[in-house]
Amino acid sequence: MPWSECAAEAESAVCARHLARVWGLPGTALGLPAWPPTTRHRLHRPWHYWWNAHLLDCLADARLRAPDPEREVTIARLVRSIRLRNRGRWTKDYYDDMAWLALALQRIGEHEPVRILLDAVWAGWSVDAGGGIRWRSGDSFKNAPTNGPAAIAFARAGETDKARKLFSWLENRLVDPDTGLVNDGVRADTGECVEEIFTYCQGVFLGACLELSEVDAAERTVRAVAAHLAPGGVLRGQGGGDGGLFAGILARYLASAAKRLPKGPAADVAAELVLDSASACWRGAAPAEHGPLFGPEWTDPVELPPRGAARDLSVQLGAWLLLEAAAVLDP
């Protein structure tokens, strides 16, 4: 089956199981945080702003894969509902969340909220710890999951100077010179580097490299991922909750690297990581109501009824991200 068909099945399953009105209001649609949902989940509690940003990003992928007027209606409802559920505002106290939503809104051409979000994100920049944007308002932590997507968003907005400042901070403060992997962040008040390794940190750094034509850094990152974060050639999972999205985000930018890097070993490895991960994910999926159900670790088969992480919207979105990335590489 072509990967585009697998991605279409993932889209259908996620939308059928998770999309629901906000508080019963007509013309709204937001992703329920778990399936099957509890009463609390049906009220869209807890509020996962950045999960829904990635739901919007997945729909943007699907729009490129197979344009559909019905999907345009869903996209418009989702955009409206994110703002509604966020108490009528685009902005939040978390700069990383706003950067993720800015990226998704850029892709669907929503210029006004993108400007609001980018201005709010840049307000998190400060000179301590050599620069960089804070993780959240009032916090001293500065990390790759904020500065990476922000760099990509500013580059795509044509604000190259800001994007380059963010890229340089990531390169100089977070890249481990021995492994080539991107560490999580820096505590600006102490200067301590938090040497935790998450797949999505590699993904957003890779995306920034590609937007700024930093080919050597991009190829180094692909090699580092293959050497350290893909046992058996499959991207490793990082559980449920927020971690359910991490490997899917990396897959998105690996597919972009496979298409945009010069032909050669790094581009080939990037493609292999995406396609081998997609094969494992698809094999391990369980046939459930409305379509395939995916697990947090793509090498492990999913059991029914869904328990734990497999219930999370984030985990299902991570797999959908992966399958859309594979579809980009369809011959």
Side-chain angles (χ1 to χ4, degrees):
M1 181 187 297
W3 289 118
S4 58
E5 293 183 21
C6 297
E9 289 199 25
E11 177 188 10
S12 177
V14 171
C15 290
R17 290 196 290 252
H18 288 273
L19 276 180
R21 287 180 174 184
V22 181
W23 309 317
L25 295 172
T28 61
L30 207 59
L32 297 173
W35 178 83
T38 64
T39 300
R40 189 164 180 259
H41 294 147
R42 292 186 187 281
L43 295 173
H44 298 282
R45 297 176 61 192
W47 168 220
H48 289 294
Y49 175 109
W50 88 286
W51 292 13
N52 278 276
H54 283 285
L55 173 55
L56 183 59
D57 226 354
C58 283
L59 289 166
D61 286 337
R63 174 199 241 183
L64 292 174
R65 169 176 47 78
D68 183 346
E70 289 186 16
R71 189 186 299 110
E72 296 302 313
V73 173
T74 301
I75 287 172
R77 288 178 174 175
L78 180 58
V79 170
R80 185 183 310 126
S81 301
I82 289 172
R83 186 180 185 185
L84 173 66
R85 180 62 184 83
N86 199 49
R87 300 180 180 180
R89 298 176 296 129
W90 293 113
T91 57
K92 285 195 73 184
D93 291 338
Y94 288 80
Y95 296 104
D96 58 340
D97 286 11
M98 292 190 288
W100 292 117
L101 184 57
L103 280 175
L105 290 169
Q106 277 180 324
R107 298 187 66 210
I108 62 168
E110 291 283 346
H111 302 295
E112 183 178 346
V114 168
R115 184 70 269 154
I116 292 169
L117 288 165
L118 290 183
D119 288 345
V121 168
W122 191 251
W125 169 276
S126 64
V127 297
D128 48 336
I133 296 170
R134 295 188 296 275
W135 169 48
R136 65 180 175 182
S137 179
D139 200 296
S140 66
F141 189 49
K142 298 181 173 184
N143 63 0
T146 301
N147 288 272
I152 298 167
F154 281 116
R156 291 177 179 174
E159 298 181 55
T160 309
D161 288 346
K162 291 177 180 176
R164 286 214 163 271
K165 282 184 178 181
L166 296 171
F167 168 79
S168 295
W169 183 83
L170 289 161
E171 174 78 1
N172 295 328
R173 295 305 303 257
L174 296 189
V175 175
D176 184 318
D178 295 325
T179 64
L181 293 173
V182 181
N183 288 308
D184 186 37
V186 171
R187 301 192 190 283
D189 53 349
T190 65
E192 175 196 1
C193 181
V194 178
E195 296 179 350
E196 291 188 83
I197 299 299
F198 299 112
T199 44
Y200 74 151
C201 295
Q202 322 312 311
V204 294
F205 180 72
L206 177 57
C209 293
L210 296 169
E211 292 298 329
L212 295 169
S213 300
E214 295 285 347
V215 173
D216 289 347
E219 292 185 339
R220 180 193 68 214
T221 304
V222 171
R223 291 193 296 269
V225 167
H228 300 285
L229 300 180
V234 176
L235 298 175
R236 75 180 191 201
Q238 293 189 285
D242 287 345
L245 278 161
F246 291 2
I249 291 168
L250 174 54
R252 172 191 297 285
Y253 294 106
L254 285 169
S256 183
K259 300 287 281 188
R260 296 173 65 174
L261 286 176
K263 289 185 178 180
D268 292 344
V269 167
E272 288 168 7
L273 287 168
V274 173
L275 296 175
D276 288 351
S277 297
S279 295
C281 175
W282 191 253
R283 284 195 306 270
E289 184 180 3
H290 304 300
L293 183 77
F294 306 100
E297 195 68 58
W298 293 329
T299 53
D300 296 343
V302 179
E303 296 181 359
L304 293 175
R307 294 184 296 274
R311 296 182 60 224
D312 289 351
L313 171 63
S314 59
V315 170
Q316 302 310 308
L317 289 176
W320 182 6
L321 275 165
L322 169 65
L323 295 171
E324 294 287 1
V328 168
L329 304 178
D330 269 341

